[in-house]
Amino acid sequence: RPPAVVLARVTPLGPHHVLLLLEDRTESRRVEAVRRDFVANVSHELKTPVGALSLLSEAVEDAADDPDAVRHFAGRMRRESTRLATLVKEIIDLSRLQAAETVFRPETLEVDQVVAEAVDRVSTVAQQRGSEVVVTGQRGLHVQGDKELLVTALRNLVHNALAYSPERSRVVVEVRRGVGRVIGTPAGQQVPTIDLAVSDRGVGISQADLNRIFERFYRVDPARSRSTGGTGLGLSIVKHIAGNHGGDVKVWSAEGEGSTFTLRLPDPDAGPAERPTARTPG
Ligand code: ADP
């Protein structure tokens, strides 16, 4: 979009001078356009399961004399209402995350517990797909944050790793200390981090799509996403949770080879000498 500069005020300052006040509205217009797109997408996404539920309820009525057909349509209705519930929950989660600038209830958390809970939440999906989730790396590390949010973020990454890999595959969650850039890291510097890397050997993501997967409702393959109960909001939620914790999420991927998504959080145990603010220049 071109810059939107408007003439906000003209004030005469005497016979030969006027004061022109120009205002740059580029950012506020961009924010407004993003909001409009989001509302349009939400309406579209909600219409799909609502429409399906309406058609399925008609089908149940028409099939009243055929118990097998009724069971079949009732099953589909249950799946559509689960989808609708997930969608509504994620839309609300995302709006809350966008409104909040900091973490809601930060506390010192054991990384092992966060990982265990996230893995536990995908155990049913893993089992259904005959896949396994393996946890490796360092134990006994800590992060500072909101447990429910961090579990949600990691759960989303592990769920995707399972969903976008063939059945009977292995997903690895590796916990390690790292160095890198998180929010607020001055240019050219790196800080100690706690990295939670989720790797799969699934379908992978092309370079062109990599730039877009964190956008709300963006899916590389909408049919595949839908068949695994995806809403297209999962990664957007992960990105916001990472940001609210002063962290970030990095991705490496190659089409046909697999992907690694790394949730990178600031290391609260790093000594003050390791923090960028405590460094002496040079
Ligand atoms: P969805 O609910 O569709 O999974 P996400 O926001 O979690 O939405 O992810 C957006 C898109 O990114 C997915 O639809 C999928 O195309 C792609 N994607 C996410 N994780 C992976 C992965 N581990 N491997 C391959 N593609 C992925």
Side-chain angles (χ1 to χ4, degrees):
R1 285 173 221 274
V5 177
V6 296
L7 183 58
R9 187 150 31 105
V10 182
T11 314
L13 290 179
H16 304 294
H17 294 89
V18 280
L19 178 72
L20 304 181
L21 185 67
L22 300 175
E23 210 174 278
D24 183 355
R25 297 207 183 140
T26 317
E27 181 57 16
S28 58
R29 288 205 184 163
R30 191 191 62 80
V31 169
E32 176 56 21
V34 167
R35 196 193 62 78
R36 261 200 317 265
D37 285 354
F38 183 54
V39 172
N41 280 330
V42 165
S43 327
H44 175 78
E45 297 287 337
L46 288 174
K47 273 182 193 157
T48 313
V50 170
L53 278 171
S54 159
L55 289 174
L56 286 165
S57 61
E58 279 174 31
V60 168
E61 272 171 10
D62 292 346
D65 300 332
D66 180 349
D68 283 345
V70 168
R71 249 195 304 279
H72 168 76
F73 290 128
R76 286 184 56 191
M77 285 180 85
R78 197 178 50 234
R79 282 198 292 282
E80 289 299 333
S81 37
T82 305
R83 176 195 305 288
L84 191 57
T86 309
L87 191 57
V88 168
K89 182 188 175 300
E90 295 205 333
I91 289 167
I92 294 171
D93 283 353
L94 194 56
S95 324
R96 288 202 178 128
L97 284 165
Q98 280 169 329
E101 274 155 16
T102 49
V103 179
F104 308 136
R105 289 180 303 276
E107 50 182 339
T108 300
L109 305 171
E110 288 178 22
V111 174
D112 299 337
Q113 269 189 25
V114 172
V115 173
E117 223 167 282
V119 172
D120 187 55
R121 286 197 198 173
V122 294
S123 59
T124 311
V125 176
Q127 215 171 2
Q128 281 165 355
R129 301 183 66 78
S131 299
E132 62 169 343
V133 180
V134 178
V135 179
T136 66
Q138 270 180 277
R139 307 214 135 227
L141 298 181
H142 294 92
V143 287
Q144 199 60 33
D146 180 305
K147 188 167 181 197
E148 178 55 33
L149 290 180
L150 290 180
V151 169
T152 300
L154 193 60
R155 177 253 168 231
N156 286 359
L157 295 180
V158 181
H159 186 272
N160 280 350
L162 289 164
Y164 299 104
S165 299
E167 295 192 339
R168 283 180 290 286
S169 39
R170 166 191 284 227
V171 167
V172 179
V173 181
E174 191 190 344
V175 181
R176 54 172 188 248
R177 282 213 160 91
V179 283
R181 296 173 52 74
V182 289
I183 285 180
T185 311
Q189 285 193 17
Q190 296 199 321
V191 292
T193 57
I194 302 289
D195 294 347
L196 307 178
V198 180
S199 304
D200 65 64
R201 297 188 151 245
V203 295
I205 304 161
S206 74
Q207 280 305 311
D209 287 313
L210 271 183
N211 296 324
R212 305 205 52 196
I213 51 170
F214 291 97
E215 289 174 23
R216 293 169 301 196
F217 297 118
Y218 188 80
R219 302 154 167 124
V220 177
D221 178 351
R224 177 160 192 157
S225 161
R226 214 161 286 133
S227 72
T228 58
T231 59
L233 291 176
L235 285 180
S236 186
I237 289 174
V238 176
K239 185 98 188 165
H240 275 91
I241 292 175
N244 284 8
H245 282 77
D248 203 354
V249 48
K250 309 275 175 203
V251 51
W252 169 90
S253 190
E255 245 179 317
E257 286 182 35
S259 315
T260 298
F261 285 80
T262 306
L263 181 60
R264 170 168 278 179
L265 301 165
D267 182 356
D269 293 336
E274 294 172 272
R275 291 181 209 274
T277 46
R279 277 189 192 167
T280 41

